């Protein structure tokens, strides 16, 4: 490996995640189909390893499930066999919540591609992502109170932020399981795609993010998650950093050069069609050729 190449994650010893890594993203596939991708201690340890890698070498992360019994599944929840044996000390350590919070705070966005069941800890893993795409077969919810516990890995506060208090309480206190359309209607899914197209859609979203300036994306994610009282001061500080970046000058100059070239190529009558500079800029921005 040359000094300019980014190290790749050593996942040779992983047993619960299948890892695919490229220059700008990591795809981690939950792979315990025999127990419907139940999240156990080994999977948590491997998620920590993924986070450690991405904290040092920021890339996009796509999380997805696998098939179980011929049907797609994201994660059926925490491993009940292990969960039953956990006591006070494990709860205070926040076994799952620590990993999911670490994942939520990764420098670059996380995309969860959901198929089939995303329940309990599986749903909480999805809530920690920045984007959630699903299939029509998705069933997502928090059945923990039916087992005599609470969803302590983020759902008790993330759900209210994501969907509002009313539906959050139905999910958390009444055990309501949402289908894909309900999750989409309540803003818990960004989009729904046929199962055969789910990963392509996740990669297409990752492609759109990858076209943006990585530093601007990283800073936007950090500022977005800060409390209201930190704004607008934190916005001003973040913008001050970006105003001095080379990418800002290069991308803005490229945009101006393209607009100048496009305007120079118009006939006089076309150039005076009454459209303002803002109209031309909006047209260019929506053409897929963003700066």
């Amino acid at each position: 490996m040359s000094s300019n190449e980014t190290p790749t994650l050593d996942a040779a010893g992983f047993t619960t995640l299948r890892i695919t890594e490229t220059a700008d993203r990591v795809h981690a596939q939950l792979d315990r189909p025999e127990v419907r991708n139940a999240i156990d201690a080994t999977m948590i340890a491997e998620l920590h390893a993924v986070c450690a890698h991405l904290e040092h070498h920021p890339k996009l992360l796509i999380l997805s499930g696998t098939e179980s019994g011929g049907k797609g599944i994201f994660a059926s929840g925490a491993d009940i066999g292990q969960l039953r044996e956990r006591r006070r000390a494990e709860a205070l350590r926040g076994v799952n919540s620590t990993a999911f919070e670490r994942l939520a705070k990764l420098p670059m966005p996380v995309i969860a591609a959901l198929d089939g069941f995303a329940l309990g800890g599986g749903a909480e893993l999805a809530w920690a992502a920045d984007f959630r795409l699903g299939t029509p077969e998705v069933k997502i919810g928090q059945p923990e109170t039916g087992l005599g516990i609470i969803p302590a890995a983020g759902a008790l506060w993330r759900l209210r932020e994501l969907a509002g208090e009313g539906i959050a309480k139905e999910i958390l206190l009444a055990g309501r399981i949402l289908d894909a359309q309900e999750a989409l209607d309540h803003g818990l899914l960004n989009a729904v795609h046929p199962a055969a197209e789910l990963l392509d859609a996740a990669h297409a979203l990752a492609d759109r993010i990858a076209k943006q300036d990585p530093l601007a994306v990283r800073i936007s994610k950090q500022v977005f998650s800060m409390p209201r009282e930190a704004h607008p001061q934190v916005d001003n500080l973040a913008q001050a950093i970006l105003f001095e970046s080379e990418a800002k000058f290069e991308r803005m100059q490229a945009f101006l050069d393209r607009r100048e070239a496009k305007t120079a190529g118009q006939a006089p009558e076309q150039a005076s069609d009454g459209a303002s500079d803002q109209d031309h800029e909006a047209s260019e921005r929506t053409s897929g050729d963003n700066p």
Side-chain angles (χ1 to χ4, degrees), residues 44-56:
I44 290 295
E46 292 176 2
L47 284 170
H48 274 297
V50 171
C51 289
H53 175 67
L54 294 176
E55 287 162 355
H56 287 87

Side-chain angles (χ1 to χ4, degrees), residues 12-290:
F14 282 17
T15 60
T16 70
L17 299 178
R18 278 193 275 167
I19 303 295
T20 305
E21 185 169 5
T22 61
D24 63 6
R25 73 197 62 174
V26 170
H27 176 198
Q29 184 178 13
L30 281 58
D31 190 29
R32 298 187 73 213
E34 69 282 0
V35 289
R36 301 196 298 179
N37 291 339
I39 299 170
D40 67 350
T42 301
M43 186 180 289
I44 290 295
E46 292 176 2
L47 284 170
H48 274 297
V50 171
C51 289
H53 175 67
L54 294 176
E55 287 162 355
H56 287 87
H57 311 289
K59 296 182 179 184
L60 294 156
L61 174 62
I62 296 174
L63 293 168
S64 72
T66 186
E67 285 193 358
S68 177
K71 295 182 179 180
I73 188 165
F74 183 67
S76 59
D79 190 303
I80 299 297
Q82 290 188 6
L83 201 60
R84 184 182 180 279
E85 300 306 315
R86 290 181 186 172
R87 306 301 292 265
R88 180 189 307 147
E90 285 85 1
L92 291 173
R93 279 175 41 220
V95 176
N96 288 7
S97 62
T98 301
F100 296 171
E101 181 67 4
R102 191 176 184 183
L103 184 140
K105 290 182 176 178
L106 285 175
M108 292 294 282
V110 178
I111 301 167
L114 312 177
D115 191 11
F117 290 119
L119 301 174
E124 290 183 293
L125 177 58
W127 307 142
D130 298 287
F131 303 94
R132 284 163 297 279
L133 307 180
T135 70
E137 290 71 41
V138 161
K139 299 291 183 184
I140 191 165
Q142 305 291 160
E144 283 89 347
T145 53
L147 296 172
I149 59 174
I150 63 171
L156 283 172
W157 54 277
R158 284 199 175 100
L159 264 176
R160 179 165 53 188
E161 292 180 355
L162 291 169
E165 186 170 320
I167 188 63
K169 284 184 174 178
E170 280 196 60
I171 295 168
L172 296 166
L173 308 182
R176 180 174 172 182
I177 305 298
L178 304 185
D179 62 26
Q181 187 59 52
E182 291 170 328
L184 183 66
D185 291 343
H186 288 287
L188 295 171
L189 291 179
N190 293 87
V192 175
H193 302 275
E197 300 172 12
L198 180 64
L199 281 181
D200 286 343
H203 281 289
L205 176 55
D207 290 341
R208 295 202 301 275
I209 299 169
K211 288 180 181 178
Q212 313 308 308
D213 173 46
L215 181 60
V217 171
R218 289 180 61 180
I219 290 180
S220 293
K221 178 174 176 176
Q222 290 178 343
V223 173
F224 184 87
S225 66
M226 290 185 180
R228 174 64 184 87
E229 57 268 23
H231 304 277
Q233 290 83 0
V234 67
D235 306 67
N236 297 338
L237 291 171
Q239 192 75 298
I241 293 170
L242 291 168
F243 271 11
E244 300 298 326
S245 72
E246 291 185 14
K248 173 248 190 177
F249 291 101
E250 293 173 355
R251 286 172 173 260
M252 288 191 176
Q253 188 60 52
F255 173 76
L256 293 172
D257 291 345
R258 287 196 300 273
R259 188 175 69 176
E260 183 178 352
K262 185 177 291 186
T263 302
Q266 291 179 324
E269 62 271 22
Q270 291 176 313
S272 59
D273 60 2
S276 68
D277 284 348
Q278 287 183 332
D279 293 331
H280 288 302
E281 288 180 17
S283 175
E284 182 164 346
R285 287 183 185 278
T286 57
S287 69
D289 191 21
N290 292 3

